[in-house]
Amino acid sequence: MKRMLSGIKPTGQLTLGNYIGALHHFVEYQDDYEMIAFIANLHCITVYQDPKELSTNLRDAVALYLACGLDPEKATIFLQTDVKQHAELGYILACYTYLGELNRMTQFKDKTAKNEQNLTAGLFTYPCLMAADILLYDPDYVPVGDDQKQHVELTRDIAIRFNNKYSPTFKVPEPLSAKVGARIMSLTDPTRKMSKSEHSDKGCIYLLDDPAKAKKKIMGAVTDSFGEIKADKVNQPGLYNLMEIAASLNGSTPEKIAEEFAGKGYGELKRYVGDAVATTLEGIQARYRDILANNVIDEVLKQGAEKATLIAAKKLDEVTKKIGLEIR
Ligand code: TYM
């Protein structure tokens, strides 16, 4: 069975973008692949987090993994810091990554371009930790949204470099993102990615948003003044984004939805998309409440960490031996 691995960093509540671009694919794949899905808590602190809020967000993220349908009997679910090998291999791989490569990472470049102050060294080197997260487990595929593909490409380069310097050690993984929904855009600015760090709450739907409020956000989404429903990503990005959201949730395509709604008003399309979102959130939230009430999270994480540690410890051991870090 081929192996897949991915993670989400809960620097806030998980979003509809996380669900469509990543989480719902993890669930799809868990039957046909050996799925490893973790909570990337070390990645959260590259930017300051309120400790209480962070802790709550981590618990919510695990509950949401389960509520979205990840099954601990099939998938390995764990918290990054419960498997100590991540941080150690992250440091080691930073020693096999060039500053020039990290400087080219668009996420970091974007932050520098915006002149954000007090950027941390952790934020700069986080792609090395992400490479470690992946390479510890030799996955064949890494399902991610579009914005993370560059980091998986860097991971491949680091793996190839290490393999060439020593001997084959790491499997070189492929990034995997869906044709529809790999980059869900903000509802208030369809030229920007929907993200947890949006300035306004209106552009982003959170998985724990009240479904009626989420529908309102869809109804208020920025579109255009063409007045015609077409699947035109370039000229009508706002409308296309809404169709992409509904298409991902209903297993359709923006083109099919555009055909169905040809000649109708934007309001009707928005109601359809809003209903698809509200129905999805209602289902997820009902399961989320059950999961919290049943207190299953600690046990899921314990079992997941045990399974993950078996794989990660073996790999780190191989790496430290090859480099010569151990005294023989
Ligand atoms: P993060 O937490 O920013 O995002 C988690 C996943 O959600 C996807 N995503 C989106 N997809 C579509 N539309 C959007 N608007 C949207 N926003 C987010 C992301 O592409 C990602 O797949 N560094 C990673 C977490 C990570 C990781 C890893 C992932 C750490 N180690 C190892 C894979 C493998 C991150 O910050 O993702």
Side-chain angles (χ1 to χ4, degrees):
M1 209 185 230
K2 296 224 174 192
R3 183 178 284 170
M4 280 200 182
L5 171 137
S6 201
I8 296 182
K9 68 168 193 294
T11 44
Q13 289 287 331
L14 299 199
T15 68
L16 190 64
N18 292 141
Y19 178 72
I20 292 178
L23 191 46
H24 105 276
H25 296 300
F26 305 174
V27 176
E28 258 172 22
Y29 295 136
Q30 67 181 341
D31 289 319
D32 301 320
Y33 295 85
E34 186 191 342
M35 185 73 214
I36 302 178
F38 71 102
I39 306 285
N41 58 345
L42 281 174
H43 288 268
C44 295
I45 58 165
T46 53
V47 173
Y48 175 76
Q49 305 289 316
D50 175 80
K52 259 202 190 137
E53 260 176 48
L54 175 58
S55 181
T56 306
N57 287 336
L58 295 177
R59 180 158 291 267
D60 277 349
V62 186
L64 283 169
Y65 270 27
L66 302 175
C68 290
L70 267 180
D71 176 353
E73 297 292 324
K74 297 179 188 162
T76 302
I77 301 166
F78 68 95
L79 186 67
Q80 188 183 27
T81 43
D82 283 345
V83 181
K84 301 297 177 201
Q85 287 79 4
H86 287 243
E88 188 169 340
L89 185 63
Y91 171 75
I92 292 175
L93 294 184
C95 300
Y96 294 83
T97 309
Y98 299 116
L99 291 181
E101 290 176 310
L102 294 175
N103 273 324
R104 281 195 292 279
M105 294 296 110
T106 49
Q107 283 205 336
F108 189 79
K109 276 206 302 204
D110 285 353
K111 292 216 183 230
T112 343
K114 276 191 239 152
N115 225 348
E116 284 187 27
Q117 298 299 301
N118 302 325
L119 295 183
T120 67
L123 185 71
F124 185 61
T125 58
Y126 111 82
C128 306
L129 179 60
M130 179 159 163
D133 298 336
I134 297 171
L135 297 178
L136 274 174
Y137 299 93
D138 284 333
D140 298 278
Y141 301 106
V142 182
V144 283
D146 257 2
D147 62 321
Q148 290 297 327
K149 264 172 133 175
Q150 194 190 28
H151 295 140
V152 183
E153 297 295 344
L154 176 65
T155 300
R156 289 168 58 85
D157 292 342
I158 297 171
I160 293 169
R161 182 171 306 144
F162 192 97
N163 289 348
N164 287 340
K165 212 171 190 87
Y166 300 96
S167 59
T169 309
F170 298 122
K171 189 172 258 181
V172 181
E174 303 268 350
L176 200 71
S177 38
K179 282 205 184 78
V180 176
R183 181 176 281 265
I184 297 300
M185 309 309 276
S186 158
L187 300 174
T188 47
D189 178 358
T191 63
R192 291 181 29 188
K193 188 188 74 162
M194 179 184 283
S195 106
K196 293 164 241 175
S197 49
E198 292 235 10
H199 304 299
S200 136
D201 182 52
K202 289 189 181 133
C204 181
I205 290 179
Y206 298 92
L207 294 183
L208 293 178
D209 266 352
D210 169 35
K213 182 174 160 199
K215 190 170 172 183
K216 251 195 191 151
K217 290 184 187 177
I218 296 281
M219 296 307 293
V222 168
T223 49
D224 55 68
S225 50
F226 289 106
E228 197 183 345
I229 295 182
K230 282 199 285 183
D232 182 346
K233 192 172 187 165
V234 177
N235 296 308
Q236 296 180 278
L239 211 57
Y240 190 88
N241 188 42
L242 293 179
M243 291 191 275
E244 208 167 351
I245 291 174
S248 307
L249 300 179
N250 291 345
S252 179
T253 63
E255 288 71 22
K256 276 193 209 150
I257 295 176
E259 246 173 60
E260 258 174 63
F261 282 84
K264 297 185 178 161
Y266 286 10
E268 204 168 327
L269 175 69
K270 282 181 167 177
R271 267 192 296 281
Y272 167 76
V273 180
D275 284 340
V277 170
T279 308
T280 302
L281 296 191
E282 274 159 17
I284 292 173
Q285 290 173 14
R287 291 187 294 274
Y288 162 86
R289 285 189 292 269
D290 276 353
I291 287 155
L292 286 187
N294 290 331
N295 258 332
V296 293
I297 289 175
D298 293 342
E299 190 51 33
V300 167
L301 290 180
K302 184 167 165 267
Q303 280 182 17
E306 278 167 10
K307 276 203 267 176
T309 302
L310 286 179
I311 307 174
K314 210 164 147 228
K315 181 61 75 181
L316 183 64
D317 200 41
E318 188 187 343
V319 169
T320 49
K321 280 204 175 81
K322 283 197 184 177
I323 297 175
L325 286 174
E326 292 179 357
I327 296 175
R328 286 174 212 211

